[in-house]
Amino acid sequence: MLNDDFNDLSEAMILTTTLMQENLEKADCLYDALKLNPDFSQLTNMITILEQAFYNVEKYAARRELRNLHLLNYVQFISCLEQSGMTALLLISKSQRHGKLFEKLDQCLVPVIMESNLLGVLTLAG
């Protein structure tokens, strides 16, 4: 984000990071309320895919079109994970009869990637 090759995206990236941090804090509270402990030990393949996608963004940082293509891929992958995670939390809270928690979840979790407009900035930055 601080690299000169990303100046055109810095504002959207800062907003995305801020919103993501807020969602992570909300998710931690929700995990506590549902008496769940997130376990990342089974996610090594997914983490490897994310790391490779991020590596490609860095690798092509100086070539805007390729950078944006790889960054779009990376961001779309994260967006899908984010949506899946929010859906899972909603389903768990609903199935465990946490009505108030379900309403709160539905209102407070923000789909970060879409809300931050990073996808829009990337597709226009060409």
Side-chain angles (χ1 to χ4, degrees):
M1 204 165 48
L2 300 175
N3 184 320
D4 287 340
D5 294 322
F6 295 91
N7 282 342
D8 58 322
L9 303 174
S10 62
E11 188 175 318
M13 291 171 84
I14 289 168
L15 180 56
T16 301
T17 308
T18 302
L19 290 171
M20 186 68 73
Q21 185 61 41
E22 289 173 6
N23 264 4
L24 288 172
E25 290 169 8
K26 290 174 188 175
D28 285 343
C29 292
L30 296 169
Y31 276 112
D32 289 344
L34 293 168
K35 296 179 178 33
L36 297 172
N37 293 315
D39 179 11
F40 298 103
S41 64
Q42 302 298 315
L43 303 177
T44 54
N45 289 337
M46 183 187 63
I47 291 168
T48 300
I49 291 169
L50 275 171
E51 287 174 345
Q52 183 61 44
F54 187 75
Y55 168 76
N56 285 332
V57 172
E58 289 181 319
K59 180 178 175 182
Y60 295 105
R63 297 184 60 196
R64 184 177 279 190
E65 294 83 12
L66 289 174
R67 175 207 68 183
N68 286 358
L69 177 67
H70 288 286
L71 192 52
L72 276 168
N73 181 50
Y74 179 69
V75 167
Q76 283 286 52
F77 189 66
I78 291 172
S79 182
C80 288
L81 292 173
E82 177 186 38
Q83 290 291 352
S84 296
M86 288 192 298
T87 300
L89 284 172
L90 285 168
L91 291 173
I92 290 168
S93 68
K94 190 173 184 181
S95 70
Q96 292 186 2
R97 310 255 192 277
H98 292 279
K100 289 181 182 178
L101 183 59
F102 177 80
E103 289 174 19
K104 191 175 189 180
L105 262 173
D106 204 26
Q107 295 168 2
C108 75
L109 288 177
V110 176
V112 171
I113 301 302
M114 299 309 289
E115 190 71 20
S116 69
N117 198 29
L118 183 56
L119 290 176
V121 173
L122 280 170
T123 54
L124 294 175

